[in-house]
Every structure is written in structure tokens, then in C-alpha cells.
Amino acid sequence: MTSDSSLNRSGGAVPSIAVAGLGTGDPDQLTLGIWRRLQAADAIYVRTAKHPMMDMLRETGVPIHSFDRLYEQSESFPEVYDAIADELIRLAKGSAPPDAAAVPSDAAAVPPNAVAVAPNAAAVAPNAAAAPPEAATVPPNAAAPPDAAAVPSDAAAVPSDAAAVPPNAVAVAPNAAAVPPDAAAVPPNAAVTLSAAAGLGRAVLYAVPGHPMVAERTVQLLRERCPREGVELTVLGGESFLDIAFTRLGFDPIEGFQLLDAAGLQPHLLQPQLHTLIGQVYDGFTASDVKLTLMERYPEEHPVTIGHALGVAGEERIVTVPLYELDRGQDYGNLSLVYVPASNDERLRSRSFDRLHEIVSILRSPDGCPWDREQTHQSIRKNFIEELYEALEAIDADDPDGMREEFGDVILQVMLHSQMEEETGAFTVYDVIQELNEKLIFRHPHVFGADGASDAGEALASWERMKAEEKRIKGRDADRSSVLDGVPKDLPALLAAYKLQKKASKVGFDWNELEPMLAKIEEELREVREAAGLGDAEASAGEVGDLLFAVVNAARFLGADPEEALARTNAKFKRRFLYVEEQLRINGKSFDQTDLLEMDRWWEEAKKRGL
């Protein structure tokens, strides 16, 4: 019988899916309620038949249909889970694909014109009148074919000694419409339902490993899709692999615990101070990816525990290995996981941004460092500039160790200034990070949006366009009237000249070729000579500035950053001068014991040596 709650107003069954958890594989841990649902089902659909509970399910005699074929047909796990959810919904709505309800290998074939048997069809009574051999079962309330003769509802009872029912005869329900004489017989074990054939709803039982709500993507997809598809979804319980993991691995999740999916594992998700379980470690390739990700936060010799088939008698294996051996010599499978115990090792905490924030806040606290506590934005302003230049020096020297150290010093300056503002309640460093993330996404619509950029030029144009739009939205251009605005006043003069000229060029205030720029340099050089000849120091300084500005303009046209070009020349000068000093030392001389002619000779030697 179908309960009232599963009928729609037209009398048909409401499409429904019940999801049952099969537990971790120990039959003794399967709940009685789940077991009863499995035994009473017309059919059981399982995500995978590769589970220790399958032998017990087969003992029920209920047809079992696995979705393992989809794993072989799909290129990724998301595709598999999407296909399973889609197929389950179509099954529930009575529009299942041909291979969704696979018939057991020993089932008789269904004739092409057979009428489907309803899942809740009444059993044939021992003394029921025989139906013609070619008659097919008709479910209660089924509509009669136009030429069928109705069977009276008050038909006379059949005597107990009535003729035996032929082997393939199926009883006609009391108020069923008559069956056409040419209807084909339905084999008793055919796995086709009337609801599927007629497009009506049906109840589907879907069984998954563990607990349906733990690491089961198909259930999440069903929760998203069933409401809009008009399918009732019931999620039943089940023992989760977490239950047995807590017991067998011996930790209490109240101490702090996180469950992560091996397929989506990222370094920023790892928190060493928490017990960490990594599920879905299906094979050695996945284990290798997990190992590389863990090595972003943990040293390669850090101990990790691998659990195989936890709680399954005769199959459970628990082994602890150094992290670097995680993907070596292990037989990973559907029931494998990786456990990393919680640790307060300071070396692990030191690799986190949160720890840096904590240290800086302690330094600035009343119990922290007196010097750090006394600093203000202005008092350490020069430190910021110095650290930036030291970082640039490490970059120019292509010194990875130096860069690692100097980048850290630059970050410290950001942390200190942000901590000062956090103490006033203005903002925190996390607000700084949020604004930066949002800015990067907003200014890259060709990466994070629908826009496209085929080359660096288009990407830069997109950046500038979105930058202007961002400022308009924030109202930051309201008081600006010049295209030259936005160049920081404290930039080094050479870099500031470069940026001012670049902004002017965007509105057409620029030469289109190099010759006029070189002529301008010659003009400014003549004016420098004239001012110097007059002995006017102030005028000479002004003309030198004009000359430098003209040189910067030519450098910009040539695609050379003047700041970087001059920095390279400074470095070159330093190398050659050091060579001169070295030659003086070798020859036992000091600067007051040589002259310009000798030093110039060593200078030329340095040039020939490529210094």
C-alpha cells in the first residue's frame, strides 16, 4: 500500500528519494531502522558496490543497482556525482534512463509489449480465479483500454477448488479494468515498474557508504536539486567513518578538529593546531598530492597516520609513517584516510599568517616590547622606505635568501602600521587583505569575469579601465581636476618624472617619435652650459633638472624605466670602482699614492673584464 503522504492530488505517487547510510562496513553497527528499510525496498541503488556491506545487502534478495559504471564513463569525480544525482531524480520521477534499473542476470526478458507491474501490486490469492495465460497484471485504478470490458467490482467469489493459476498468470485486482486479450505476459522477476513506464513518481532508496551527510557529494547535490524538481528527499542516518576514526585513532574532536577532502586540499586550509582528517584518499596519486600539500605546512619527516578500512574486521590497517613516505608502499582504496594529529610545535605555528599577526599584537601590547609600543606611523616611516630599498637590492642581486629575508621585513612594516590602526579601531590587517583581494578580482574581469584579454596590452587597458571605474564608484575622483593626480608626492624624483610624463602621454601630450626628444636633450644640455658659464648655481641646478626630465622622457619612449636604468648604472659603477680599489690594494697603494691617470687605466681594465 502507498501511504497518503506519498500520493499527489491526482492519485499518483509523489516522487521521492530516501538516502540511507551503510556505515563503515561493520554489520553490527548498522542501525535496525536502516536494515528494515533495506529489507523492505523494491530495489536498492548504491553509489558503489565496492563496500564491505554489499555481501549483507545481497542476502536480502532485494535487487541492487550500482552506479559504478559511471565512474568508468566519466573523466572526473564531479561528473560522476552529477550524473548519479541526475539519474536518481529521473528514477524517482519515472523517467529513468534505459540502464538505470538494471535487471539481474538471471531475470527473464520482458516482452516488448509487456505492461509494467506496479511495485505495490496485490499478491495472487491461492484460490483466485485463473487469468488467461496471456493476461497482464493491471494495477489498481488503472485506466481501461477503450475496447476492454469492465470487470464488476462485486464479481462472485471463486470456489476454493478453482482451477490452478497458470505459471505466468497474474491476478487481476478487484476493481481493475479489463485487460485486452492480446496483452503480453510479464515475467514475475522483471525489474520494471509501472510508475517508471507511465511517467508517475516512485520511491527510490539510495544507499551510500558511511553517513549520508558526511563526505557524500551526491547527497548535497540531491539536497540542492530535489526541491526544484518536485522530489521529496529523506536523509536517513548511518554510522559515519568519523565515528570509528575517533575511536580507532584515539582523539576527541572537542579538542579541535577539521575534516578535509583530499581532492580539494589546499595549504591555506591546514591548521596544525587542530586534529586533521583527510578523507577520500582513493589511490597513490591522490596520496602524492596530499603529501605535497601537507609539505607546505609540515616538515617532510613529520609523522602522519594512514587508516585503511577502519572498523572492518580483517581489513583494518593503521600505520604511521614520515610525511615523505605517505605515497610509498601503501594500498590505498575507497576506505582510506590520512590523519595528522594536532600539534603546538612552534615551528608549525610560525608558518601561518595568524601567528605573525599574534606576534605583532603582542609586541605592541602593554606586556610587549617598550620600543615597539612607543612607535608611531611617523617614527617608523623611514624604516618602511629603507626596507623597500633593501628588498629591491636583493631583487637586483637575484639573491633568493636575501629576498626571503627582505620581503619579510617589508611585510613587518605593513603589519606594524596595520596594528597601530587596529588599536584605534580604524581597521585591521585582515581588512587590508580583504580590500586587496577584492581589488585584484575587480580589476581583472578578463580573469575572474566574462571579459577577455588576448595579450598584455589588452590586459593593461582593462586594468586601467576598471581602476578608473573603481575610483568612480568609491567617489575618490570628485575633487580631482587634473590627469596628473595620483602620483605620490614622495616618490623618488626620477620615478615621479616618469609617471607624470606617462599620464600626460595618455591624453596626447607627447611626441610621436624619438628625434624631437633627443633634440630637446641637446637643447637642455646647451642651457646647462650657459648657466654654468654664468656661474649661477641656482640656474644651473634648474637646467640640470630640465636635462634630467628630458632624458627621462626619451627613456620612456625607448621603453626603459629610468629608475631601473640608473640603478643598473650605479651598480656597474660600484663594480668597476671596487676593481680599482682592489688593484690599489694589490699594488700596496692608497688613494693618496695614485693619480687619476692610473685609476682610469684600471677603470678601463674593469670595462674590458665586463664589470
Side-chain angles (χ1 to χ4, degrees):
M1 297 292 291
T2 305
S3 64
D4 293 340
S5 62
S6 62
L7 293 177
N8 57 30
R9 292 182 180 179
S10 63
V14 174
S16 65
I17 300 172
V19 187
L22 295 177
T24 58
D26 183 356
D28 292 337
Q29 300 300 320
L30 191 67
T31 67
L32 181 59
I34 296 295
W35 179 239
R36 286 173 175 167
R37 290 293 290 263
L38 294 170
Q39 288 179 307
D42 296 309
I44 302 171
Y45 294 86
V46 296
R47 176 166 63 77
T48 177
K50 299 176 181 179
H51 190 270
M53 288 298 297
M54 291 308 298
D55 288 340
M56 188 173 176
L57 287 185
R58 293 187 183 99
E59 292 175 2
T60 65
V62 177
I64 299 172
H65 310 291
S66 165
F67 289 107
D68 282 327
R69 58 186 166 77
L70 295 178
Y71 286 88
E72 301 171 0
Q73 298 170 5
S74 305
E75 296 183 356
S76 66
F77 286 122
E79 287 184 17
V80 174
Y81 304 146
D82 185 77
I84 291 174
D86 182 60
E87 209 165 292
L88 285 168
I89 289 174
R90 285 192 285 166
L91 279 165
K93 296 174 72 173
S95 54
D99 56 351
V103 181
S105 58
D106 59 344
V110 181
N113 58 348
V115 177
V117 179
N120 57 351
V124 179
N127 58 355
E134 68 273 17
T137 298
V138 180
N141 303 321
D147 56 348
V151 179
S153 59
D154 57 350
V158 180
S160 58
D161 59 349
V165 180
N168 60 348
V170 183
V172 179
N175 58 352
V179 180
D182 58 347
V186 182
N189 58 351
V192 183
T193 68
L194 179 65
S195 57
L200 300 178
R202 59 176 292 197
V204 173
L205 181 61
Y206 175 48
V208 297
H211 191 290
M213 293 302 295
V214 179
E216 190 56 56
R217 179 58 182 161
T218 56
V219 177
Q220 297 302 322
L221 292 173
L222 290 173
R223 285 169 59 85
E224 295 171 6
R225 298 178 185 179
C226 282
R228 63 173 180 260
E229 294 287 344
V231 176
E232 290 183 356
L233 178 66
T234 303
V235 179
L236 308 174
E239 182 195 32
S240 164
F241 76 92
L242 294 178
D243 298 317
I244 195 66
F246 297 150
T247 302
R248 302 298 295 126
L249 299 175
F251 69 92
D252 187 343
I254 196 65
E255 299 169 358
F257 158 74
Q258 60 177 349
L259 173 63
L260 301 175
D261 183 355
L265 192 63
Q266 296 291 331
H268 70 271
L269 298 175
L270 299 171
Q271 302 182 63
Q273 72 275 20
L274 302 179
H275 293 287
T276 302
L277 275 181
I278 304 171
Q280 319 257 41
V281 189
Y282 294 118
D283 51 36
F285 295 106
T286 306
S288 182
D289 289 340
V290 169
K291 180 184 76 172
L292 294 175
T293 302
L294 289 175
M295 281 183 172
E296 293 292 325
R297 295 296 299 274
Y298 298 88
E300 63 179 21
E301 70 278 0
H302 192 82
V304 295
T305 298
I306 306 166
H308 299 289
L310 297 182
V312 181
E315 297 184 33
E316 177 182 282
R317 286 182 296 115
I318 300 175
V319 58
T320 299
V321 299
L323 177 55
Y324 67 85
E325 291 186 1
L326 186 63
D327 56 350
R328 302 177 188 175
Q330 295 295 323
D331 186 17
Y332 286 98
N334 294 342
L335 302 180
S336 299
L337 58 80
V338 172
Y339 168 55
V340 186
S343 174
N344 289 319
D345 188 331
E346 190 61 32
R347 292 176 303 169
L348 299 179
R349 298 189 66 206
S350 294
R351 292 183 67 85
S352 72
F353 181 82
D354 288 339
R355 178 56 173 159
L356 173 61
H357 178 248
E358 180 184 9
I359 291 172
V360 173
S361 65
I362 291 173
L363 291 175
R364 291 274 304 171
S365 71
D367 296 327
C369 173
W371 186 90
D372 286 301
R373 192 168 55 245
E374 291 177 358
Q375 301 313 304
T376 65
H377 287 306
Q378 289 302 317
S379 70
I380 61 172
R381 178 180 179 276
K382 64 181 184 302
N383 298 35
F384 211 150
I385 297 173
E386 290 173 4
E387 299 298 355
L388 284 170
Y389 279 113
E390 289 176 7
L392 292 174
E393 184 177 358
I395 292 173
D396 292 340
D398 193 22
D399 178 6
D401 292 336
M403 282 187 272
R404 183 175 63 231
E405 179 181 356
E406 299 304 337
F407 292 171
D409 291 342
V410 172
I411 292 174
L412 174 59
Q413 297 303 309
V414 174
M415 298 298 294
L416 286 169
H417 286 281
S418 297
Q419 181 63 32
M420 293 175 191
E421 291 304 310
E422 182 174 340
E423 292 161 7
T424 68
F427 63 83
T428 72
V429 70
Y430 294 102
D431 296 315
V432 174
I433 294 172
Q434 177 184 349
E435 185 158 333
L436 174 59
N437 287 338
E438 292 173 351
K439 178 190 296 183
L440 290 174
I441 293 173
F442 184 83
R443 294 187 184 180
H444 288 86
H446 51 287
V447 177
F448 301 103
D451 294 355
S454 59
D455 54 37
E458 290 186 9
L460 182 59
S462 175
W463 170 278
E464 294 295 344
R465 183 175 66 257
M466 298 310 294
K467 181 179 179 180
E469 175 64 14
E470 180 183 65
K471 291 181 178 180
R472 185 193 66 78
I473 293 173
K474 293 181 177 180
R476 292 183 178 175
D477 282 347
D479 299 325
R480 292 187 175 181
S481 57
S482 173
V483 297
L484 299 180
D485 289 335
V487 178
K489 62 182 180 61
D490 289 327
L491 275 182
L494 213 57
L495 182 56
Y498 177 79
K499 285 188 170 291
L500 288 169
Q501 293 171 4
K502 190 174 180 181
K503 284 179 173 287
S505 176
K506 290 180 180 179
V507 294
F509 192 74
D510 196 9
W511 281 298
N512 295 323
E513 52 187 15
L514 181 61
E515 275 308 313
M517 298 181 185
L518 297 178
K520 185 65 175 177
I521 292 173
E522 293 171 356
E523 175 189 330
E524 298 297 347
L525 182 58
R526 285 194 301 271
E527 292 178 1
V528 169
R529 289 194 178 99
E530 291 172 2
L534 296 173
D536 188 338
E538 185 67 24
S540 296
E543 296 301 339
V544 168
D546 291 346
L547 175 61
L548 291 174
F549 196 84
V551 171
V552 167
N553 202 29
R556 180 185 57 81
F557 188 86
L558 293 171
D561 186 306
E563 187 75 25
E564 293 180 2
L566 185 56
R568 288 196 295 270
T569 298
N570 291 341
K572 179 169 59 179
F573 177 86
K574 185 176 180 180
R575 290 194 302 273
R576 293 176 181 176
F577 194 81
L578 288 174
Y579 180 82
V580 172
E581 287 183 317
E582 179 67 11
Q583 294 306 309
L584 284 172
R585 186 188 65 77
I586 292 173
N587 287 275
K589 293 183 177 181
S590 61
F591 281 107
D592 57 1
Q593 294 174 323
T594 188
D595 55 25
L596 180 60
L597 183 63
E598 186 176 40
M599 288 190 290
D600 189 57
R601 178 168 56 82
W602 286 328
W603 182 273
E604 292 299 325
E605 284 184 12
K607 287 176 63 177
K608 292 178 180 179
R609 290 174 176 267
L611 299 178

